[in-house]
Amino acid sequence: MKPKQIKKLLVDEIQKLADNPQDYCTNPGSDFLRKRKLPMNKILAGIIGMGSGSLTNELLDLFGASADTPTSSAFVQQRKKIKPEAFKKIFDGFSSKLIDNFNEDMPILAVDGSDVQIPTNPDDLNSFHSGKDGRKSYNLLHINALYNINYSIYHDVIIQKSKEKNEHNALQEMVDRSEIPKALVIADRGYESFNSMAHIQEKGWFFLIRVKDGINGIKNGLDLPKTDCFDIDISLKLTRKKTNAVKELFKDKNHYRSVSSAQPFDYLPLKNKKSEPAKFYELHFRIVRFPISETSYETIVTNLNSEKYPPDEVKKLYASRWEIETSFRDLKYTIGMLDFHSKKVMCIQQEIYAHMIMYNFAEMITSHVVIEKKQRKHTYKANFSVAVHMCRLFYHGKATSPDVEAIIAKNLIPIRPDRHRERNLIVKIFHGFLYRVA
């Protein structure tokens, strides 16, 4: 799609919601009924297009530095009338329209989560963390995302407060409500779960999940080869019943497994009457173990066909999951998800959805820019920071489509896939309102 088509899709989704606002207003009987300087479509479009500047400067950009630019206070009063679900609705509609244009037999979707620090509020107990070892207290929101690796856009997102977060439930919900007929979900160790595997299997999708090598994972309790590398098929029947007859079956470790009543599993009843026969749920998967260096190995569970996806292919697919990690970095630092324009959680949720909309908008435009191939040492790609800036200008009507594509094509950076560096795990703090760029 051309940039103009992508912009039209987004503008149409914004206008569609603004034309029927009542389901997404905090006071449906009174909000946005009168004609105002800040109508709903202007508020929605403005928040989606926001960068990392102060709210006043963002409004001046939105209104073309006009003397009639509304005050920050007026904007805040209007935005508080809009539920965060309005932006989720726009995100879903826009993403769905983009996905309809993809030519994929089986999308490859990575799932992962990321914390975002928000202004400190001790009264919000579900997100508040008291500081330890002399550190300041803080509040966190947790973002769960489903990300298309081949097209570099987000398919779905669920926002949770950090103390309420449940990545397994989030994954299962995103899988269950998706309208994609067939897909492959790639996940890291935090998503290791029979319940998640069953949800994906029931959907008719495929999974590829890294699992723990220790005593607490799915791998524990199975009869597996003693070698460092292997690829073995498992057909496991799960049950909650523990009669003596069923316990005898558990001796066949690769075919029967007990699921405790405390362990979530949506496809088995919590209790079985003694008079009723045992109910089983059958889960089919492979356990693949392969080397990633001379001394370390990874273990994967997957239901992909072993002939079409041998261990080397499984290894490549799992490595591609790193794309969602780099997307979170771009989302926070390039799009500006660390720089919110409110202290209220509701407004911050608005901006999280808005930033993800802008990420998809910028990625779709950037991905269609033709990069001229030359004889160079490295392969080159568009500088996403420059691309986002140009896409925002284009979104606000301050740049034309040809100029956007030409400037993105000129600003390139080399791709260095074999680079390795130690991961920086320093907590990323909320950027206060007084320390924003101009």
Side-chain angles (χ1 to χ4, degrees), residues 350-363:
Q350 289 177 353
E351 292 192 38
I352 290 174
Y353 291 128
H355 285 317
M356 299 192 85
I357 293 167
M358 181 51 63
Y359 180 94
N360 284 357
F361 178 76
E363 271 289 1

Side-chain angles (χ1 to χ4, degrees), residues 60-290:
L60 287 170
D61 288 343
L62 179 62
F63 285 87
S66 167
D68 294 328
T69 300
T71 63
S72 298
S73 176
F75 185 86
V76 169
Q77 289 178 48
Q78 288 295 89
R79 75 177 296 182
K80 286 195 293 187
K81 298 177 182 179
I82 304 174
K83 297 178 182 178
E85 289 77 13
F87 293 88
K88 180 63 166 67
K89 179 71 174 178
I90 295 169
F91 171 84
D92 289 339
F94 181 51
S95 300
S96 178
K97 294 285 176 57
L98 295 178
I99 293 166
D100 288 343
N101 288 277
F102 294 169
N103 183 23
E104 287 185 301
D105 292 332
M106 186 174 72
I108 301 175
L109 308 178
V111 63
D112 207 351
S114 183
D115 288 330
V116 175
Q117 187 167 342
I118 61 176
T120 305
N121 179 10
D123 295 330
D124 188 355
L125 299 179
N126 290 325
S127 67
F128 180 73
H129 298 261
S130 57
K132 296 180 180 179
D133 301 324
R135 295 182 181 179
K136 293 182 179 179
S137 54
Y138 56 94
N139 289 63
L140 292 177
L141 294 181
H142 189 74
I143 301 169
N144 303 275
L146 204 58
Y147 181 80
N148 187 307
I149 290 173
N150 290 333
Y151 286 88
S152 302
I153 74 160
Y154 290 99
H155 277 238
D156 202 352
V157 59
I158 291 175
I159 303 170
Q160 300 168 326
K161 292 187 177 181
S162 59
K163 290 188 177 178
E164 298 175 321
K165 80 173 183 180
N166 188 317
E167 292 186 323
H168 295 294
N169 286 352
L171 170 59
Q172 292 152 24
E173 183 179 339
M174 290 189 289
V175 168
D176 291 347
R177 71 189 183 192
S178 175
E179 297 180 357
I180 300 171
K182 185 173 70 170
L184 166 64
V185 176
I186 304 178
D188 210 357
R189 286 181 297 193
Y191 293 89
E192 179 180 351
S193 159
F194 284 132
N195 199 23
S196 294
M197 292 161 65
H199 273 264
I200 296 170
Q201 179 175 278
E202 288 294 312
K203 186 76 174 181
W205 287 12
F206 297 91
F207 54 81
L208 193 156
I209 305 171
R210 178 188 176 197
V211 297
K212 304 179 185 74
D213 273 336
I215 61 172
N216 297 320
I218 288 172
K219 181 182 171 185
N220 183 48
L222 296 172
D223 282 330
L224 299 174
K226 303 298 182 184
T227 56
D228 290 330
C229 301
F230 53 79
D231 182 356
I232 184 170
D233 290 311
I234 302 289
S235 182
L236 204 58
K237 291 183 179 179
L238 307 174
T239 184
R240 294 195 191 273
K241 200 150 189 174
K242 295 183 180 179
T243 62
N244 289 333
V246 172
K247 287 179 180 178
E248 282 296 313
L249 296 176
F250 294 154
K251 293 178 180 179
D252 186 354
K253 295 181 180 180
N254 284 6
H255 291 91
Y256 293 92
R257 174 75 67 91
S258 171
V259 180
S260 73
S261 58
Q263 185 177 351
F265 194 82
D266 298 329
Y267 301 98
L268 287 173
L270 279 175
K271 293 182 180 179
N272 279 130
K273 293 181 180 179
K274 286 186 177 180
S275 59
E276 293 179 344
K279 294 181 180 178
F280 295 92
Y281 182 87
E282 193 161 0
L283 203 54
H284 302 277
F285 56 92
R286 297 157 56 200
I287 296 189
V288 185
R289 196 164 192 265
F290 50 78

Side-chain angles (χ1 to χ4, degrees), residues 315-333:
K315 182 177 179 178
K316 289 178 186 176
L317 283 170
Y318 177 73
S320 69
R321 192 204 65 85
W322 187 251
E323 293 294 325
I324 192 172
E325 301 278 4
T326 59
S327 78
F328 281 139
R329 181 193 63 203
D330 289 335
L331 197 57
K332 291 179 179 180
Y333 294 98

